[in-house]
Every structure is written in structure tokens, then in C-alpha cells.
Amino acid sequence: MSKEYVSKTSKSKALYERAKKVLPAGVSYGIRYFEPYPFYTAKAKGSKLYDVDGNEYIDFWLGHTALILGHSPPAVVEAVKRQLENGTHYGTSHELEIKLAEQVVKMVSSAEMVRFTNSGTEANMYATRLARAYTGRSKIAKFEGGWHGGYDALHVGVHYPFNAPESGGLTAGALQDTLLLPFNDLEGVEEKLKHEKVASIVIEPVLGAGGGIPAEKEFLKGLREFCDEKEILLIFDEVITGFRLAPGGAQENYGVAPDITVFGKILGGGFPVGAFCGSRKIMQRLDAHVYKPPRYSFHGGTFTANPITMTAGLATLRILEDGRLINKLNTLGDRMREKLREIFETNGVNVQVTGTGSIFNVHFTKEKLKDARGVSRADKKRLIDYNLHLITNGVFFLPTHTGALSTAHSEADMEKMLSETEEYAKHHRK
Ligand SMILES: Cc1ncc(COP(=O)(O)O)c(C=O)c1O
């Protein structure tokens, strides 16, 4: 498979050789590297990526799942073009940040106030700080397999065996206050926190990087009750699920309200973004007129609420607001998962198709999956082989990562993805 990929991507190979000299691993984010080398994108439009060799890929990675309307959707491009004439970055207060905050508050029932950041990582960092300032507690908890970005205190317990720091350079001091919890296991959570006082529990309602595993409804409800009882702030990291599973995010679907929600990806309409939001009572800790340290919690940054991002985000959320397109995507997601299961089953290949709504992933295992531990036992090599087959045949998933649907995907795009999967399954029966 690799040979065929190499034969179609000679210009990418040359760029990779060049890139390696100036970018560690030849990439700007480690996960974007895949064997034998990544292709380099020349342009993107709608549901497609085009590489420097002229190969076309139907894109199910969608810029880390951010592009729910596909690449360069006309309504967003038009709005951004107009805004470019009015300034790219102000560094002062402006109406667009109010409009986007109002839009988030309108769509997300647990949000009364919002602060914007430039990434999901930053938003999680500031949300954690806020929870600590609000509760006066130092310890925090996250789940095994949960990915919240590269912030030190949350950069632990992402990959099996979940007990080692995910990077060098993380000090014992940065990690000693972070506790790890078992996903979809309320008794396990209660046991772990029996004698602890934590400021917050952060959870992805659907594990994204952890394999596309949805939290069980009863588990999330139980977690909410547990947090209420112990006066712990429940943080939903909706960086992937926000504005994707429902206009109001996963919390709308589950009927469970967090204290703080973290957003990113879709909220930026294709531009860099993050945000955290919650009730006025909690968010007011960010107001230095009301609180002084240690009760005050700082947040800020040069590019926060950049007017281009605010414009693109606003155009995007207005399109998604009535839920019509999101519902359509969720139905397509159900169909995609069902068809994938059918194809692999017919060909006698053991897989678990995970995900919910317009998020999906495939794992080569017989075992029913309810957490990232199960995912870690699946055959990753086969998944990479399947993903590379798809890439070589014009269907892009970032190998091993969760795929997503956009409103730009056509029937023909879906059919191509399924027929290439069938081709793979037929030739890889085991
Ligand atoms: C659930 C979740 N939280 C946080 C992040 C970090 O966001 P960013 O990459 O914008 O820093 C990601 C990124 O993939 C994510 O999937």
C-alpha cells in the first residue's frame, strides 16, 4: 500500500525532505505525521483536499473536525472578505465579540457568559484555573483517554497505560494535582474521589482522540449528581462535540448541564479559536472589578476575540443555529456507521464502529468498546493499513483518528468512502 502511495506523491516526498530540515518531524503538529510521510496540501474546497501532486482526497478529517461546513464555505468566505477590509486584528473591544458571545449564549443553555481564546488548549487551561479560583481547591480530575490539548496539568493519562506523562518537560509539580478517572464507570469515579476534594472534573462527552466513545447517558447524569453532592465543578470539553452533535452541543443531547463548557474548532468557522463559558456567578471570577486574587482568575491574550475569527464563527453558528443541517448530518452519521458495520461483517472482519452523530471511527477488535482502555487493545496496525488504503484511493482520514462529516459531503463522497472500505475489507479478511 505504501508503495502505491509513494508512487502518487513524489512532490510531497520532496517537500517532506525540505520540511524535515526546518520543522521537527517535517510537520507543525506531531499527529499530522503518518507513515511513510504526509502529503502536503496545496488547496482545499468543499469536501475535498488537493495535494501538491494534484491528488484529490475526500476529506473526513476536516481540519481536526473543525470544518462542519466543509472547506471555505461561501457564506463564511464572503463575511471574512468584508471584514478583511475593516481590519484583521484590533486589540481593542469591538461589537463582533459581543455578537458571537450572544450567539453562544443563545445556543448553549448552560452559558450565560463567555470568554474567547485562540485554541482549545488555552480554553481548557483557563477553565481549569477558573475552577480552582472559584472553589479554592488545587486538585482536578480528568478521564483516562481524555484529550484536552497540551496544557501541562491536563497532558496526562491520554494514552495507554494512562499512568505516564504524555511529554517530557512536565514537572511533578504540574501533575501532582491531577487525578485520573475511569471513563463510563461511575463507581470507579466515586471510589477514586472518595477521600479527595477536587475543584473540577473535566470530561469529553464523546471521547474524540480516545476513539470516538460516547459517554453513557446514565454515567453522565450520575457524574452530574456526584459533582453537585461534592461541590465539584463539572467541565464539559465540547471542543469536538460543540455545535456538531446539536446546536447546543452534547449537553443538549444528553440533557446534562455542565458548570463550565469549553469550545473550540467549529466555533472559529475555520479560523483559530477556543472559548469557555458558564453561569454568570462562575464567569464573574474573571472580572477584576468584582474580585481580587486569589478569588479573581486571569484570562487574556493578544489575539483573543480576533475580528476575523469572530466573523467566521458568527457566520457559521448562524447557519447551524436552527439544527436542520446538524440533524441531517447526524442521520448521515448513523447511516455511515451502519453501512461500515455491515461491510466489515459481510466480509468477516471483526471491527467496532464507534462514534455518534456525525463523528465516527473504526477499531479492529471483537471487543465491545466503552472506554479508551478497550480501544488501546484493538489492532492499531490494521487501522493504519486501512486508513492508508483509503488515502491512497482518495479518501482522507488522519490515520487512527476520528472522522467527521460536513455539510459539503455529497452522496457520491459517502459512496466512495464505503466502496473503498468494501474493497479493503474484501482483500483483508481474517
Ligand atoms: C476534545 C478536545 N479538547 C481540546 C483540544 C485542544 O484544542 P486545540 O488543538 O485547539 O488546542 C482538542 C483538539 O483536538 C480536542 O479534541
Side-chain angles (χ1 to χ4, degrees):
M1 190 51 57
S2 182
K3 245 196 211 156
E4 214 178 319
Y5 176 79
V6 170
S7 74
K8 293 170 101 166
T9 54
S10 58
K11 287 186 181 156
S12 276
K13 180 152 192 340
L15 281 186
Y16 175 60
E17 295 304 327
R18 230 175 98 197
K20 271 196 301 188
K21 296 187 184 132
V22 287
L23 299 168
V27 289
S28 291
Y29 186 176
I31 64 167
R32 291 186 191 157
Y33 175 84
F34 57 88
E35 295 282 348
Y37 51 83
F39 64 78
Y40 286 73
T41 298
K43 63 176 182 174
K45 183 79 193 142
S47 64
K48 309 263 172 48
L49 283 172
Y50 302 86
D51 72 13
V52 288
D53 289 281
N55 297 304
E56 177 180 305
Y57 305 89
I58 302 163
D59 185 11
F60 289 101
W61 171 235
L62 294 172
H64 302 235
T65 74
L67 304 168
I68 196 168
L69 303 178
H71 293 274
S72 297
V76 176
V77 169
E78 280 313 308
V80 166
K81 274 186 184 164
R82 283 195 299 275
Q83 178 55 37
L84 281 171
E85 296 297 325
N86 289 332
T88 59
H89 172 49
Y90 297 146
T92 56
S93 297
H94 55 97
E95 191 180 356
L96 289 165
E97 65 192 2
I98 306 172
K99 281 188 173 167
L100 187 58
E102 285 170 345
Q103 186 69 30
V104 170
V105 167
K106 191 169 160 198
M107 291 171 76
V108 181
S109 58
S110 67
E112 287 180 341
M113 298 185 110
V114 185
R115 274 289 179 96
F116 296 106
T117 65
N118 301 301
S119 69
T121 298
E122 265 180 77
N124 272 297
M125 178 180 81
Y126 285 120
T128 302
R129 177 181 295 177
L130 173 60
R132 283 172 161 160
Y134 185 81
T135 58
R137 301 173 184 174
S138 300
K139 289 194 177 174
I140 54 167
K142 75 174 283 290
F143 286 88
E144 289 173 351
W147 172 244
H148 308 288
Y151 164 50
D152 285 14
L154 296 174
H155 201 32
V156 59
V158 182
H159 295 100
Y160 182 80
F162 308 113
N163 58 3
E166 297 285 329
S167 168
L170 299 178
T171 62
L175 299 177
Q176 72 193 7
D177 288 327
T178 305
L179 302 170
L180 279 177
L181 305 174
F183 194 72
N184 271 335
D185 175 2
L186 191 59
E187 273 180 24
V189 170
E190 288 170 355
E191 182 57 32
K192 277 258 181 182
L193 298 181
K194 208 163 50 183
H195 304 298
E196 302 284 357
K197 269 195 175 317
V198 295
S200 57
I201 297 179
V202 61
I203 184 167
E204 288 174 85
V206 182
L207 286 180
I213 313 286
E216 287 156 10
K217 197 168 184 165
E218 285 315 302
F219 169 68
L220 267 196
K221 289 200 154 154
L223 192 65
R224 176 69 273 180
E225 284 165 19
F226 177 75
C227 286
D228 286 341
E229 200 182 297
K230 297 261 190 179
E231 297 181 333
I232 298 167
L233 295 186
L234 179 59
I235 305 178
F236 276 8
D237 181 342
E238 295 228 39
V239 168
I240 292 180
T241 54
F243 313 109
R244 177 174 280 286
L245 296 189
Q251 55 196 271
E252 180 179 332
N253 281 356
Y254 279 98
V256 178
D259 298 297
I260 299 173
T261 307
V262 175
F263 289 115
K265 300 196 196 273
I266 290 174
L267 176 63
F271 291 83
V273 84
F276 59 113
C277 51
S279 66
R280 187 173 313 281
K281 187 170 176 221
I282 295 172
M283 294 298 286
Q284 234 163 18
R285 291 296 179 125
L286 297 152
D287 186 342
H289 301 291
V290 182
Y291 293 101
K292 300 283 168 242
R295 303 183 76 212
Y296 162 71
S297 183
F298 172 82
H299 149 263
T302 299
F303 286 104
T304 45
N306 171 269
I308 303 294
T309 299
M310 298 296 103
T311 299
L314 195 57
T316 302
L317 294 200
R318 281 181 176 160
I319 291 171
L320 298 173
E321 184 179 349
D322 66 9
R324 205 175 42 86
L325 290 172
I326 288 179
N327 287 341
K328 208 169 136 198
L329 285 184
N330 289 346
T331 307
L332 287 178
D334 286 342
R335 207 181 87 205
M336 178 67 98
R337 281 184 294 278
E338 200 180 303
K339 292 267 180 201
L340 285 171
R341 278 188 198 112
E342 208 177 283
I343 289 168
F344 283 112
E345 197 179 311
T346 307
N347 287 284
V349 182
N350 287 318
V351 303
Q352 300 299 320
V353 180
T354 57
T356 183
S358 54
I359 301 166
F360 61 104
N361 206 340
V362 167
H363 304 281
F364 288 83
T365 177
K366 254 193 211 171
E367 182 184 343
K368 292 262 174 282
L369 298 172
K370 68 171 200 40
D371 56 22
R373 280 187 183 263
V375 171
S376 75
R377 289 188 286 266
D379 189 338
K380 202 164 171 178
K381 276 206 183 115
R382 279 187 90 183
L383 178 56
I384 292 170
D385 191 51
Y386 163 54
N387 288 157
L388 198 59
H389 165 89
L390 292 177
I391 293 172
T392 305
N393 291 287
V395 178
F396 183 59
F397 285 81
L398 186 66
T400 76
H401 286 267
T402 295
L405 298 174
S406 77
T407 58
H409 284 117
S410 65
E411 264 311 301
D413 291 339
M414 301 273 287
E415 284 313 313
K416 165 102 173 144
M417 153 70 192
L418 294 169
S419 65
E420 287 303 340
T421 297
E422 190 158 20
E423 196 56 30
Y424 181 82
K426 262 194 219 158
H427 293 98
H428 294 80
R429 293 180 183 184
K430 247 194 229 167

